[in-house]
Amino acid sequence: MVRALALAALPLALLTGAAPAQPARDAYDLLTRQAAPVAWAAEVTATAAGWRIAYPRPEGPACPLPGPLVLPQGRAAPVMLRSEDPDALHDWRVPGLGLSTTAIPGRVATIAIPAAATGDFPGEAGSPAIRVMPPADYAGWRDSVLRPACPP
């Protein structure tokens, strides 16, 4: 029993002999190739230089855009959270939305961000900000900003 607990505490990379960043990349690739694709609102990735926000496209890789994470009001938006920085944990805190989570190297997490209220919600300590728009405004942003910047 003690041996099983000790093995469970070892990082996956040590057990498999893989490089520390490889399990995260493998998990990300697996999630993006699912038979029934998940409708991600966005991908939020921690890097050594900061954060990257990318929006899914019908075809091809997700499209990175600068600025806050933009979400429609009225639903808990699913966001894929991961880290490309193998050397650090990255906290993502947006107090106005009650969001407090951590991007962990080697793990891909799906989080649901509650988007009940509209407005701009700043992140703490370098964390990405979130902008929640009414559905009609979000549709306008998607058509005027997201689609031209990220063609299919």
Side-chain angles (χ1 to χ4, degrees), residues 98-126:
L99 176 65
S100 180
T101 190
T102 302
I104 301 171
R107 295 194 179 169
V108 178
T110 302
I111 58 172
I113 298 176
T118 61
D120 291 326
F121 301 93
E124 277 186 355

Side-chain angles (χ1 to χ4, degrees), residues 18-126:
Q22 190 60 40
R25 186 75 221 168
D26 291 345
Y28 173 76
D29 290 344
L30 178 64
L31 286 172
T32 57
R33 290 190 319 257
Q34 292 177 358
V38 174
W40 305 107
E43 298 172 7
V44 178
T45 304
T47 69
W51 293 85
R52 181 176 62 244
I53 297 170
Y55 297 89
R57 290 190 240 194
E59 301 292 328
C63 177
L65 282 182
L69 171 61
V70 180
L71 301 172
Q73 177 192 23
R75 63 185 175 111
V79 172
M80 186 175 4
L81 177 66
R82 62 191 183 104
S83 175
E84 288 181 352
D85 182 0
D87 299 322
L89 300 174
H90 293 269
D91 291 329
W92 184 17
R93 293 189 190 116
V94 182
L97 291 174
L99 176 65
S100 180
T101 190
T102 302
I104 301 171
R107 295 194 179 169
V108 178
T110 302
I111 58 172
I113 298 176
T118 61
D120 291 326
F121 301 93
E124 277 186 355

